[in-house]
Structures are given as structure tokens and as C-alpha cells.
Amino acid sequence: MMDPETRQALFGYALRLGDTSLVLGHRLSEWCGHAPELEEDIALTNVALDLVGHARLLLAYAGEVEGEGRDEDRLAYRRDVLDYRNHLLAEQPNRDFGHTIVRQFLHDAWAVELYDRLAGSTDAGLAGIAAKAVKEVRYHVRHSGDWLIRLGDGTDVSHTRMRDALERLWPCTGEMFERDSAEDRLVAAGIAPDPAELRAAWNARVAAVLAEATLERPADGWMQKGGRRGEHSEHLGYLLAEMQFLPRAYPDAVW
Amino acid sequence: MYTQGLDGKAERGVQSSPGASPRLVSAEDLHFQERIDAEEKIEPRDWMPDGYRRTLVRQISQHAHSEIVGMLPEGNWITRAPSLRRKVALLAKVQDEGGHGLYLYSAAETLGVSRDELVGQLLSGKAKYSSIFNYPTPSWADIGAIGWLVDGAAIMNQVPLCRCSYGPYARAMVRVCREESFHQRQGYELMLALATGTAEQKRMAQAALDRWWWPSLMMFGPSDDQSAHSAQNMAWKIKRFSNDELRQRFVDATVPQAEFLGLTIPDPELRFDDQTGHYAFGAIDWTEFNEILKGNGPCNRERIEARRKAWDDGAWVREAAAAHAAKRSRRALKKAG
């Protein structure tokens, strides 16, 4: 039997992962029908489908751990900005294909290391979800990494665009490796991996791909933080307003 | 999803149409028609009359364009789907349409045209796509109505295409039809949730049926006596059933489904005819259809603008990908040499 503090920490942890997957999947789904080429339309939609799929599993699990009867849709559609726990990186707008790829790669490189370790979690629920997710995320990081290389080492125009996107999004990466007291508890129980360990693996992976893309790694300056505590950018409110419109407008309806 | 009878002049082939002056028929023409009559599949390297090739390029590319443009009205609701299950289903559906576009363009390429050329024709406004996608999707119920009615109509048209005489097209259609029939069931299930839901949901569902019913009937193309392509395409076994036959089948299948939903089909003349065993329905207003074909539909401009924007915005990406591929092969050559 899990003690109440660990249970609460596990709920928050699953919520952060679920929200990050949902918000990023939502962003990618905005590309559907509008990508630079048909193959990429299909590929981006595939990744979006995987991410929303992970979000469903994680949010359903969070609701189960919480034990207050909230299901995946209740958590996705009836919480406002203050209660969302996704990374700031995930909510950044698509801007152009270059920003989308940079955002995706920086996330994927984190997610693949995370799920790889989380598959060995002492918590069977999380371990099961991670074991499924990691297989998909391995493809995602190949896809986004390949595009990062192509566009970084493509034309002068594409190189400049990728450099700018990298500089713009870099300050959102620090938050992915934060550790709070809830995570201390989970790490100690073998439920969650140590963020410091993730950071080392992420650094190595990012460095290798950036080198091949002929892009310089931006300096680790001031980092934007707060998404994990419900302190978000202006972008998330619009995303949620759009996503939640129907259940909010027709609260009694079942769809 | 696709419709028939979109545009253009009839193709002339081996058998000239009734009343036209007889043409010289070559031995190749005769042999080709014998193969068609024997239900043999025609493959890309086989000899075929120019008219057959042109007709197929036009039909397959229009079909591909329709899949691609068709992603837009449904894509309009991906970010607003009311549950995560619905969101995933809609994303997967729109992605399927993209996949259909991809392998239909590939089927067209086996006839000697490039995808870039075909896409260019779509973007320039020269090529047609199914008019149905020039209607808007203002409510969530439109997603259900498209699946139920538009995909339902498309299936009626497309199932016979699985036996089309041109092998690559016929084979592509087998997969397309499997996925479309899944979409159709999914759309109907969505409508059912609305029709059995709150009063507001039921209102959405009825309004969507009101808007999509007649355009869905128009998807089968003009009546047989007005249809330019029919006779030759039947002889070539590109087409197996007439527009009116397929339209009747669709009405017969769909009316009981609407009744089960408790929704009303917007046709006061609709009634079951005991003598024919079919539903009789009111006259179709072709004025609207023709106006939309001319470019005056509610969304014609938006649809093409969206496709052009995606293409133009993506130019730097495609250029960079090509430049990178060239760099890679130069490096590989250097390494090998």
C-alpha cells in the first residue's frame, strides 16, 4: 500500500507527463493538412497520434492514482491553465516547420531517455505505459533528429532558420531537468528516474545531432521555468480555449 | 473519398459513341478491348489507347486531389474534438485521407505523370477535386455527417472501382475502401451519440444532415442522360455502374439509417415506392452543383488558398531537404573515390 504522500507525488508526476504529451500532441495536430509535403503531413500526424495516445494512458492513470473519479477527459477538458502541468516547451506555438522540428527534437531527446528508464520503474502502472511509449518515442527522436540535420545542414536559409529557432526555444529546456520534493520521493522509491541522469544523456544526444546539423549549441543562460507548477506562457490559454470549447459550452453532453 | 463526373469532355476510344461517325480501329485497339472484356487487368507497361490513359490520369489525380483537399474540412475540428477518444479517431481518419492521396498519386504516376505536375495542376486551379469539400464544417456534427454521408457515398462509388480494369488503381482502391468503410461506421457512431444526446446535440445533428444531404446526392455526378463520360468508361470498365444506379443505392441504404437516428431527411418528396422496392426522392437542384464547380461554393477559395499556403510555406523545407541530400551524396562519392 502506497503512503498518501507518495501517492500524491505519483499523481502529480503522471499529470506532468500526461499534460506535456497532450499539449505537444495538440500542437503537432495543428499541422495536419498543412505540412511542407504529403509524407511529412502523415509523419507529423503519426507523432501527434502517439503523443495523444500517451496522454490518454497517463491521464487515465493519474486519475486512477488520485482516486477521485476523474477520468482522462475530465482531466484534459476541465482544468484551466493554473492546473496544467506541462513543460513550457510543449506549449510553444508551431511558428514554422523549423521551430516545430526544434521543439520536437529537444522534447524527444528527453522523452526517449525518460521512458527508457521509466520502463524499469518499481511502479507497475508507469512502467507499463513507459514500455509502450518508449518504442514509439525512439521513432520520434529519429524523425525529428533527421529533420534537424537536414535543415541545419541544408541551405543557408534553412540553417539560419534552425539557428534562430534553437536560440529561441533553448531557454525552455532547463525546466525538463528540474527536481522538486515530490520527485525526490519518487526517485528514492525507484518510481521515477533521477533528472540529473536524464540531463547527462540528453546533453550527449543533443550534442551529437547538433554537430551533424552544423548548428552550435546555445549557451545555458537564464531558463524559463514554471510550467510544471502551473505558471505558463500566454500561449497555453488559447490552446486550452480551443481544445476545451465543446465540453465547456455543453457541460452536460456526452460525446 | 471521391465523386464521379467532375468535368471535361468525353474521351473517345475504340468504340465511338452512338451516332458518331465510325473510326478506324487498329489491331491494338481490338486486342485491348478483348482483354478488357475478358476481365484482364491492364498494367502500367501494357499498351493502352491514349484516351484510356488520359481518362485514368484525370480520374485518379482528381481522386487524389479530393483526398488531400478533403483533409481540410475535417482537419478543421481536430483541435476541437470534444474527447480524447474522438480526437485520436479524427486525427487517424484525416491521416488516412493523406495516405489515400499518397498512393493514388503513386497510381497516377504509373501512367507517366509526376506527382509534382499533378499537384501543380491542383494549385493552379486547373485540376478539379470533389465539390463536396467546398462546403464548410461549422459544427462538430459535420464531422459525423461527413463520415456517415460523404464517406458513405464515396464507398458506393469506390467499391466497384476495386474491379476497375486498370490494375494499380483497382489495387489501391481495395485498401481505400476498407478504410473508408471504417470511417463511415465511425461517422455514424458519432451521429448516434449526438442524436441520442441532449436537445442541443440533436439540433446540431439535424442541422448537419440538412446541410449535407443534397450535396451528398450530388456526389454521384449528373444524371445518366447528362453524363459525358459514362458510355466509354463503362466499355473500358473504368466505371461499372451508372451515376443514377449508384445514387439510388446510396439513398436506399441511407434512409433507414437516418430513421434509426431519429433524424429527418430534408426532402418532402422522399417516400418508399412499393412497386419498385426503392426510395423515390425529389429532384436535385443542379444549379448549386454547377455554381460550386465554377468556383462559387462557400469554401472554394479557402481550400485552394490553404493548399497553396502549405505549399509555399514549405518551399524552404523542400529546398533544404534536396540540398542536404545532394551534399550527402557528394560526400559519399568523395569517400568512395
Side-chain angles (χ1 to χ4, degrees), chain B residues 165-215:
Chain B
S165 58
Y166 189 58
Y169 193 30
R171 289 188 289 271
M173 291 318 295
V174 172
R175 182 165 163 193
V176 170
C177 285
R178 236 187 338 246
E179 293 178 351
E180 294 293 9
S181 76
F182 180 69
H183 298 163
Q184 200 263 348
R185 285 199 297 275
Q186 212 169 46
Y188 190 71
E189 191 261 330
L190 197 163
M191 287 302 268
L192 188 61
L194 299 177
T196 56
T198 64
E200 286 159 318
Q201 286 176 301
K202 190 162 181 181
R203 182 172 166 234
M204 277 180 209
Q206 181 62 53
L209 173 58
D210 290 347
R211 278 182 289 106
W212 291 96
W213 175 253
W214 291 106

Tab-separated table of all heavy atoms in Angstrom, chain B residues 165-215:
chain	number	residue	atom	x	y	z
B	165	SER	N	-10.589	-1.831	-64.504
B	165	SER	CA	-9.702	-2.586	-65.400
B	165	SER	C	-8.228	-2.227	-65.215
B	165	SER	O	-7.360	-3.023	-65.577
B	165	SER	CB	-10.112	-2.354	-66.856
B	165	SER	OG	-10.069	-0.963	-67.145
B	166	TYR	N	-7.932	-1.051	-64.673
B	166	TYR	CA	-6.522	-0.681	-64.503
B	166	TYR	C	-6.003	-1.197	-63.156
B	166	TYR	O	-6.444	-0.757	-62.084
B	166	TYR	CB	-6.345	0.838	-64.624
B	166	TYR	CG	-4.890	1.221	-64.660
B	166	TYR	CD1	-4.046	0.701	-65.653
B	166	TYR	CD2	-4.332	2.052	-63.704
B	166	TYR	CE1	-2.692	1.010	-65.681
B	166	TYR	CE2	-2.984	2.374	-63.730
B	166	TYR	CZ	-2.167	1.847	-64.720
B	166	TYR	OH	-0.830	2.145	-64.743
B	167	GLY	N	-5.055	-2.116	-63.227
B	167	GLY	CA	-4.576	-2.838	-62.046
B	167	GLY	C	-4.162	-1.967	-60.872
B	167	GLY	O	-4.681	-2.141	-59.758
B	168	PRO	N	-3.231	-1.003	-61.075
B	168	PRO	CA	-2.771	-0.217	-59.912
B	168	PRO	C	-3.903	0.556	-59.227
B	168	PRO	O	-3.903	0.697	-58.002
B	168	PRO	CB	-1.744	0.750	-60.541
B	168	PRO	CG	-1.237	0.020	-61.735
B	168	PRO	CD	-2.415	-0.746	-62.282
B	169	TYR	N	-4.843	1.050	-60.020
B	169	TYR	CA	-5.960	1.796	-59.422
B	169	TYR	C	-6.855	0.840	-58.636
B	169	TYR	O	-7.226	1.110	-57.488
B	169	TYR	CB	-6.756	2.489	-60.544
B	169	TYR	CG	-7.759	3.541	-60.085
B	169	TYR	CD1	-7.562	4.292	-58.941
B	169	TYR	CD2	-8.897	3.804	-60.850
B	169	TYR	CE1	-8.474	5.270	-58.559
B	169	TYR	CE2	-9.812	4.788	-60.472
B	169	TYR	CZ	-9.597	5.510	-59.317
B	169	TYR	OH	-10.496	6.472	-58.938
B	170	ALA	N	-7.175	-0.289	-59.256
B	170	ALA	CA	-8.042	-1.268	-58.597
B	170	ALA	C	-7.440	-1.717	-57.264
B	170	ALA	O	-8.128	-1.799	-56.249
B	170	ALA	CB	-8.259	-2.468	-59.517
B	171	ARG	N	-6.141	-1.967	-57.266
B	171	ARG	CA	-5.495	-2.454	-56.036
B	171	ARG	C	-5.466	-1.372	-54.957
B	171	ARG	O	-5.686	-1.650	-53.776
B	171	ARG	CB	-4.090	-2.965	-56.355
B	171	ARG	CG	-4.117	-4.282	-57.135
B	171	ARG	CD	-2.729	-4.888	-57.281
B	171	ARG	NE	-1.887	-4.147	-58.198
B	171	ARG	CZ	-1.821	-4.369	-59.517
B	171	ARG	NH1	-2.553	-5.320	-60.070
B	171	ARG	NH2	-1.024	-3.650	-60.281
B	172	ALA	N	-5.210	-0.121	-55.394
B	172	ALA	CA	-5.228	0.976	-54.409
B	172	ALA	C	-6.616	1.087	-53.780
B	172	ALA	O	-6.761	1.332	-52.584
B	172	ALA	CB	-4.838	2.300	-55.070
B	173	MET	N	-7.637	0.868	-54.610
B	173	MET	CA	-8.994	1.051	-54.113
B	173	MET	C	-9.404	0.003	-53.083
B	173	MET	O	-10.277	0.257	-52.262
B	173	MET	CB	-9.998	1.042	-55.269
B	173	MET	CG	-9.901	2.242	-56.182
B	173	MET	SD	-9.661	3.780	-55.312
B	173	MET	CE	-11.190	3.864	-54.441
B	174	VAL	N	-8.785	-1.159	-53.136
B	174	VAL	CA	-9.132	-2.196	-52.149
B	174	VAL	C	-8.836	-1.670	-50.751
B	174	VAL	O	-9.666	-1.739	-49.839
B	174	VAL	CB	-8.354	-3.503	-52.427
B	174	VAL	CG1	-8.565	-4.503	-51.308
B	174	VAL	CG2	-8.799	-4.096	-53.764
B	175	ARG	N	-7.654	-1.079	-50.609
B	175	ARG	CA	-7.275	-0.565	-49.298
B	175	ARG	C	-8.098	0.681	-48.937
B	175	ARG	O	-8.549	0.832	-47.804
B	175	ARG	CB	-5.784	-0.246	-49.296
B	175	ARG	CG	-5.333	0.250	-47.965
B	175	ARG	CD	-3.847	0.222	-47.823
B	175	ARG	NE	-3.461	1.075	-46.712
B	175	ARG	CZ	-2.237	1.458	-46.479
B	175	ARG	NH1	-1.259	1.075	-47.270
B	175	ARG	NH2	-1.959	2.222	-45.446
B	176	VAL	N	-8.275	1.548	-49.921
B	176	VAL	CA	-9.052	2.766	-49.674
B	176	VAL	C	-10.446	2.398	-49.160
B	176	VAL	O	-10.924	2.953	-48.172
B	176	VAL	CB	-9.149	3.624	-50.960
B	176	VAL	CG1	-10.162	4.753	-50.777
B	176	VAL	CG2	-7.787	4.207	-51.333
B	177	CYS	N	-11.068	1.433	-49.818
B	177	CYS	CA	-12.442	1.073	-49.439
B	177	CYS	C	-12.508	0.489	-48.034
B	177	CYS	O	-13.460	0.740	-47.306
B	177	CYS	CB	-13.026	0.068	-50.432
B	177	CYS	SG	-13.456	0.867	-51.973
B	178	ARG	N	-11.503	-0.298	-47.689
B	178	ARG	CA	-11.504	-0.872	-46.335
B	178	ARG	C	-11.488	0.250	-45.303
B	178	ARG	O	-12.233	0.242	-44.333
B	178	ARG	CB	-10.284	-1.765	-46.161
B	178	ARG	CG	-10.672	-3.159	-45.759
B	178	ARG	CD	-9.558	-4.104	-45.408
B	178	ARG	NE	-8.259	-3.789	-45.945
B	178	ARG	CZ	-7.622	-4.532	-46.846
B	178	ARG	NH1	-8.178	-5.605	-47.343
B	178	ARG	NH2	-6.415	-4.219	-47.258
B	179	GLU	N	-10.632	1.240	-45.544
B	179	GLU	CA	-10.525	2.329	-44.572
B	179	GLU	C	-11.766	3.215	-44.605
B	179	GLU	O	-12.240	3.666	-43.563
B	179	GLU	CB	-9.244	3.130	-44.831
B	179	GLU	CG	-8.018	2.284	-44.532
B	179	GLU	CD	-6.686	2.954	-44.786
B	179	GLU	OE1	-6.636	4.055	-45.363
B	179	GLU	OE2	-5.667	2.363	-44.396
B	180	GLU	N	-12.297	3.458	-45.800
B	180	GLU	CA	-13.484	4.320	-45.891
B	180	GLU	C	-14.676	3.699	-45.172
B	180	GLU	O	-15.487	4.401	-44.578
B	180	GLU	CB	-13.870	4.606	-47.343
B	180	GLU	CG	-12.874	5.438	-48.130
B	180	GLU	CD	-12.722	6.882	-47.677
B	180	GLU	OE1	-13.267	7.268	-46.626
B	180	GLU	OE2	-12.019	7.625	-48.381
B	181	SER	N	-14.789	2.388	-45.237
B	181	SER	CA	-15.968	1.804	-44.602
B	181	SER	C	-15.826	1.872	-43.083
B	181	SER	O	-16.814	2.026	-42.368
B	181	SER	CB	-16.245	0.390	-45.111
B	181	SER	OG	-15.359	-0.508	-44.547
B	182	PHE	N	-14.588	1.838	-42.610
B	182	PHE	CA	-14.358	2.074	-41.182
B	182	PHE	C	-14.741	3.516	-40.816
B	182	PHE	O	-15.429	3.761	-39.818
B	182	PHE	CB	-12.892	1.786	-40.855
B	182	PHE	CG	-12.543	1.991	-39.410
B	182	PHE	CD1	-13.047	1.142	-38.433
B	182	PHE	CD2	-11.717	3.032	-39.022
B	182	PHE	CE1	-12.736	1.337	-37.096
B	182	PHE	CE2	-11.394	3.240	-37.701
B	182	PHE	CZ	-11.900	2.386	-36.733
B	183	HIS	N	-14.344	4.465	-41.658
B	183	HIS	CA	-14.688	5.871	-41.403
B	183	HIS	C	-16.201	6.076	-41.393
B	183	HIS	O	-16.732	6.868	-40.618
B	183	HIS	CB	-14.103	6.784	-42.499
B	183	HIS	CG	-12.611	6.750	-42.577
B	183	HIS	ND1	-11.909	7.193	-43.666
B	183	HIS	CD2	-11.688	6.313	-41.687
B	183	HIS	CE1	-10.618	7.052	-43.441
B	183	HIS	NE2	-10.460	6.507	-42.252
B	184	GLN	N	-16.859	5.380	-42.299
B	184	GLN	CA	-18.310	5.544	-42.402
B	184	GLN	C	-18.985	5.082	-41.113
B	184	GLN	O	-19.852	5.756	-40.574
B	184	GLN	CB	-18.826	4.772	-43.621
B	184	GLN	CG	-20.192	5.234	-44.110
B	184	GLN	CD	-21.323	4.368	-43.571
B	184	GLN	OE1	-21.073	3.293	-43.019
B	184	GLN	NE2	-22.545	4.834	-43.726
B	185	ARG	N	-18.548	3.941	-40.599
B	185	ARG	CA	-19.133	3.436	-39.346
B	185	ARG	C	-18.828	4.377	-38.188
B	185	ARG	O	-19.675	4.626	-37.330
B	185	ARG	CB	-18.596	2.036	-39.040
B	185	ARG	CG	-19.200	0.960	-39.922
B	185	ARG	CD	-19.024	-0.423	-39.307
B	185	ARG	NE	-17.618	-0.796	-39.179
B	185	ARG	CZ	-16.905	-1.356	-40.155
B	185	ARG	NH1	-17.465	-1.605	-41.322
B	185	ARG	NH2	-15.636	-1.668	-39.973
B	186	GLN	N	-17.598	4.902	-38.205
B	186	GLN	CA	-17.189	5.826	-37.155
B	186	GLN	C	-18.053	7.102	-37.194
B	186	GLN	O	-18.480	7.607	-36.157
B	186	GLN	CB	-15.732	6.205	-37.432
B	186	GLN	CG	-14.904	6.477	-36.243
B	186	GLN	CD	-13.435	6.557	-36.656
B	186	GLN	OE1	-13.076	7.199	-37.646
B	186	GLN	NE2	-12.588	5.907	-35.898
B	187	GLY	N	-18.306	7.601	-38.391
B	187	GLY	CA	-19.126	8.806	-38.554
B	187	GLY	C	-20.548	8.562	-38.077
B	187	GLY	O	-21.155	9.407	-37.411
B	188	TYR	N	-21.054	7.398	-38.407
B	188	TYR	CA	-22.423	7.073	-38.000
B	188	TYR	C	-22.509	6.963	-36.481
B	188	TYR	O	-23.462	7.442	-35.853
B	188	TYR	CB	-22.872	5.771	-38.660
B	188	TYR	CG	-24.356	5.493	-38.469
B	188	TYR	CD1	-25.308	6.248	-39.137
B	188	TYR	CD2	-24.786	4.493	-37.600
B	188	TYR	CE1	-26.665	6.024	-38.954
B	188	TYR	CE2	-26.142	4.253	-37.407
B	188	TYR	CZ	-27.074	5.005	-38.089
B	188	TYR	OH	-28.419	4.779	-37.904
B	189	GLU	N	-21.500	6.380	-35.897
B	189	GLU	CA	-21.474	6.222	-34.436
B	189	GLU	C	-21.409	7.598	-33.747
B	189	GLU	O	-22.042	7.821	-32.715
B	189	GLU	CB	-20.268	5.350	-34.055
B	189	GLU	CG	-20.242	4.875	-32.609
B	189	GLU	CD	-19.338	5.702	-31.716
B	189	GLU	OE1	-18.334	6.235	-32.230
B	189	GLU	OE2	-19.638	5.833	-30.535
B	190	LEU	N	-20.677	8.521	-34.368
B	190	LEU	CA	-20.601	9.890	-33.838
B	190	LEU	C	-21.993	10.550	-33.905
B	190	LEU	O	-22.445	11.196	-32.953
B	190	LEU	CB	-19.594	10.692	-34.671
B	190	LEU	CG	-19.029	11.995	-34.110
B	190	LEU	CD1	-17.777	12.398	-34.879
B	190	LEU	CD2	-20.008	13.127	-34.121
B	191	MET	N	-22.677	10.350	-35.057
B	191	MET	CA	-24.024	10.924	-35.216
B	191	MET	C	-24.980	10.324	-34.193
B	191	MET	O	-25.848	11.012	-33.651
B	191	MET	CB	-24.570	10.641	-36.627
B	191	MET	CG	-23.938	11.450	-37.720
B	191	MET	SD	-24.084	13.243	-37.492
B	191	MET	CE	-25.588	13.585	-38.374
B	192	LEU	N	-24.811	9.036	-33.949
B	192	LEU	CA	-25.689	8.356	-32.998
B	192	LEU	C	-25.537	8.966	-31.598
B	192	LEU	O	-26.528	9.182	-30.891
B	192	LEU	CB	-25.371	6.857	-32.979
B	192	LEU	CG	-26.311	5.964	-32.176
B	192	LEU	CD1	-27.729	6.023	-32.729
B	192	LEU	CD2	-25.807	4.511	-32.176
B	193	ALA	N	-24.294	9.256	-31.212
B	193	ALA	CA	-24.060	9.865	-29.903
B	193	ALA	C	-24.771	11.219	-29.815
B	193	ALA	O	-25.336	11.574	-28.781
B	193	ALA	CB	-22.556	10.026	-29.653
B	194	LEU	N	-24.749	11.970	-30.915
B	194	LEU	CA	-25.400	13.285	-30.906
B	194	LEU	C	-26.920	13.141	-30.936
B	194	LEU	O	-27.647	13.836	-30.222
B	194	LEU	CB	-24.936	14.116	-32.107
B	194	LEU	CG	-23.437	14.437	-32.179
B	194	LEU	CD1	-23.116	15.203	-33.453
B	194	LEU	CD2	-22.987	15.231	-30.962
B	195	ALA	N	-27.384	12.216	-31.782
B	195	ALA	CA	-28.833	12.076	-31.971
B	195	ALA	C	-29.517	11.546	-30.712
B	195	ALA	O	-30.706	11.777	-30.493
B	195	ALA	CB	-29.117	11.155	-33.157
B	196	THR	N	-28.758	10.847	-29.880
B	196	THR	CA	-29.337	10.326	-28.642
B	196	THR	C	-28.871	11.154	-27.435
B	196	THR	O	-29.040	10.743	-26.293
B	196	THR	CB	-28.948	8.852	-28.424
B	196	THR	OG1	-27.517	8.764	-28.446
B	196	THR	CG2	-29.513	7.956	-29.505
B	197	GLY	N	-28.263	12.288	-27.707
B	197	GLY	CA	-27.732	13.128	-26.627
B	197	GLY	C	-28.706	14.196	-26.189
B	197	GLY	O	-29.933	13.998	-26.212
B	198	THR	N	-28.176	15.347	-25.796
B	198	THR	CA	-29.024	16.441	-25.322
B	198	THR	C	-29.775	17.063	-26.509
B	198	THR	O	-29.455	16.793	-27.665
B	198	THR	CB	-28.166	17.552	-24.681
B	198	THR	OG1	-27.320	18.119	-25.699
B	198	THR	CG2	-27.285	17.011	-23.563
B	199	ALA	N	-30.745	17.911	-26.184
B	199	ALA	CA	-31.510	18.581	-27.246
B	199	ALA	C	-30.584	19.401	-28.140
B	199	ALA	O	-30.751	19.453	-29.362
B	199	ALA	CB	-32.578	19.475	-26.614
B	200	GLU	N	-29.577	20.026	-27.523
B	200	GLU	CA	-28.643	20.837	-28.327
B	200	GLU	C	-27.824	19.968	-29.278
B	200	GLU	O	-27.559	20.352	-30.424
B	200	GLU	CB	-27.683	21.595	-27.396
B	200	GLU	CG	-28.336	22.766	-26.689
B	200	GLU	CD	-27.574	23.172	-25.438
B	200	GLU	OE1	-27.136	22.276	-24.688
B	200	GLU	OE2	-27.441	24.388	-25.207
B	201	GLN	N	-27.429	18.795	-28.814
B	201	GLN	CA	-26.662	17.894	-29.674
B	201	GLN	C	-27.522	17.390	-30.832
B	201	GLN	O	-27.069	17.291	-31.969
B	201	GLN	CB	-26.122	16.713	-28.864
B	201	GLN	CG	-24.953	17.087	-27.966
B	201	GLN	CD	-24.519	15.918	-27.104
B	201	GLN	OE1	-25.318	15.385	-26.326
B	201	GLN	NE2	-23.278	15.507	-27.227
B	202	LYS	N	-28.767	17.083	-30.519
B	202	LYS	CA	-29.656	16.589	-31.553
B	202	LYS	C	-29.891	17.670	-32.618
B	202	LYS	O	-29.943	17.383	-33.818
B	202	LYS	CB	-30.989	16.149	-30.932
B	202	LYS	CG	-31.846	15.402	-31.916
B	202	LYS	CD	-32.942	14.589	-31.265
B	202	LYS	CE	-33.695	13.868	-32.392
B	202	LYS	NZ	-34.790	13.052	-31.955
B	203	ARG	N	-29.978	18.901	-32.158
B	203	ARG	CA	-30.172	20.016	-33.091
B	203	ARG	C	-28.969	20.125	-34.042
B	203	ARG	O	-29.121	20.336	-35.238
B	203	ARG	CB	-30.358	21.294	-32.278
B	203	ARG	CG	-30.611	22.510	-33.113
B	203	ARG	CD	-30.989	23.702	-32.232
B	203	ARG	NE	-30.899	24.901	-33.034
B	203	ARG	CZ	-30.185	25.975	-32.706
B	203	ARG	NH1	-29.509	26.000	-31.569
B	203	ARG	NH2	-30.151	27.025	-33.491
B	204	MET	N	-27.762	19.990	-33.469
B	204	MET	CA	-26.546	20.018	-34.309
B	204	MET	C	-26.596	18.922	-35.363
B	204	MET	O	-26.250	19.133	-36.522
B	204	MET	CB	-25.302	19.680	-33.455
B	204	MET	CG	-24.679	20.773	-32.682
B	204	MET	SD	-23.241	20.058	-31.795
B	204	MET	CE	-23.251	21.158	-30.390
B	205	ALA	N	-27.012	17.737	-34.919
B	205	ALA	CA	-27.022	16.584	-35.826
B	205	ALA	C	-28.013	16.809	-36.966
B	205	ALA	O	-27.706	16.561	-38.140
B	205	ALA	CB	-27.377	15.313	-35.057
B	206	GLN	N	-29.200	17.307	-36.621
B	206	GLN	CA	-30.206	17.543	-37.662
B	206	GLN	C	-29.729	18.627	-38.630
B	206	GLN	O	-29.881	18.489	-39.852
B	206	GLN	CB	-31.542	17.939	-37.018
B	206	GLN	CG	-32.664	18.181	-38.027
B	206	GLN	CD	-33.008	16.920	-38.840
B	206	GLN	OE1	-33.274	15.861	-38.276
B	206	GLN	NE2	-32.961	17.028	-40.164
B	207	ALA	N	-29.136	19.685	-38.086
B	207	ALA	CA	-28.666	20.777	-38.952
B	207	ALA	C	-27.591	20.265	-39.917
B	207	ALA	O	-27.539	20.664	-41.082
B	207	ALA	CB	-28.126	21.922	-38.103
B	208	ALA	N	-26.747	19.377	-39.427
B	208	ALA	CA	-25.695	18.831	-40.293
B	208	ALA	C	-26.309	17.966	-41.393
B	208	ALA	O	-25.921	18.055	-42.561
B	208	ALA	CB	-24.694	18.030	-39.469
B	209	LEU	N	-27.275	17.150	-41.029
B	209	LEU	CA	-27.949	16.322	-42.053
B	209	LEU	C	-28.618	17.228	-43.091
B	209	LEU	O	-28.542	16.973	-44.299
B	209	LEU	CB	-28.971	15.392	-41.392
B	209	LEU	CG	-29.870	14.589	-42.333
B	209	LEU	CD1	-29.055	13.713	-43.287
B	209	LEU	CD2	-30.842	13.705	-41.532
B	210	ASP	N	-29.263	18.291	-42.605
B	210	ASP	CA	-29.917	19.224	-43.530
B	210	ASP	C	-28.922	19.797	-44.544
B	210	ASP	O	-29.234	19.946	-45.713
B	210	ASP	CB	-30.555	20.402	-42.767
B	210	ASP	CG	-31.769	19.951	-41.951
B	210	ASP	OD1	-32.244	18.821	-42.181
B	210	ASP	OD2	-32.216	20.727	-41.079
B	211	ARG	N	-27.741	20.097	-44.084
B	211	ARG	CA	-26.768	20.720	-44.982
B	211	ARG	C	-26.067	19.719	-45.890
B	211	ARG	O	-25.690	20.043	-47.003
B	211	ARG	CB	-25.736	21.530	-44.181
B	211	ARG	CG	-26.261	22.926	-43.814
B	211	ARG	CD	-25.255	23.778	-43.068
B	211	ARG	NE	-25.048	23.289	-41.711
B	211	ARG	CZ	-23.977	22.645	-41.306
B	211	ARG	NH1	-22.971	22.424	-42.137
B	211	ARG	NH2	-23.880	22.204	-40.076
B	212	TRP	N	-25.842	18.496	-45.418
B	212	TRP	CA	-25.024	17.545	-46.194
B	212	TRP	C	-25.825	16.608	-47.090
B	212	TRP	O	-25.270	15.947	-47.953
B	212	TRP	CB	-24.118	16.722	-45.257
B	212	TRP	CG	-23.044	17.566	-44.652
B	212	TRP	CD1	-23.087	18.175	-43.424
B	212	TRP	CD2	-21.792	17.951	-45.242
B	212	TRP	NE1	-21.940	18.904	-43.226
B	212	TRP	CE2	-21.130	18.776	-44.315
B	212	TRP	CE3	-21.164	17.659	-46.459
B	212	TRP	CZ2	-19.872	19.328	-44.566
B	212	TRP	CZ3	-19.910	18.207	-46.708
B	212	TRP	CH2	-19.276	19.034	-45.774
B	213	TRP	N	-27.132	16.513	-46.863
B	213	TRP	CA	-27.899	15.528	-47.619
B	213	TRP	C	-27.822	15.733	-49.134
B	213	TRP	O	-27.400	14.853	-49.875
B	213	TRP	CB	-29.362	15.509	-47.161
B	213	TRP	CG	-30.196	14.598	-47.994
B	213	TRP	CD1	-31.124	14.953	-48.932
B	213	TRP	CD2	-30.148	13.163	-48.013
B	213	TRP	NE1	-31.662	13.838	-49.516
B	213	TRP	CE2	-31.081	12.724	-48.982
B	213	TRP	CE3	-29.401	12.210	-47.306
B	213	TRP	CZ2	-31.291	11.372	-49.256
B	213	TRP	CZ3	-29.611	10.862	-47.579
B	213	TRP	CH2	-30.546	10.459	-48.540
B	214	TRP	N	-28.250	16.930	-49.581
B	214	TRP	CA	-28.289	17.148	-51.039
B	214	TRP	C	-26.900	17.151	-51.670
B	214	TRP	O	-26.696	16.512	-52.718
B	214	TRP	CB	-29.087	18.418	-51.373
B	214	TRP	CG	-30.554	18.246	-51.091
B	214	TRP	CD1	-31.261	18.772	-50.060
B	214	TRP	CD2	-31.494	17.452	-51.843
B	214	TRP	NE1	-32.574	18.371	-50.114
B	214	TRP	CE2	-32.745	17.565	-51.206
B	214	TRP	CE3	-31.392	16.662	-52.992
B	214	TRP	CZ2	-33.889	16.917	-51.678
B	214	TRP	CZ3	-32.522	16.023	-53.469
B	214	TRP	CH2	-33.758	16.145	-52.811
B	215	PRO	N	-25.927	17.813	-51.037
B	215	PRO	CA	-24.570	17.721	-51.616
B	215	PRO	C	-24.077	16.274	-51.727
B	215	PRO	O	-23.384	15.934	-52.680
B	215	PRO	CB	-23.710	18.527	-50.631
B	215	PRO	CG	-24.665	19.531	-50.062
B	215	PRO	CD	-25.985	18.802	-49.944
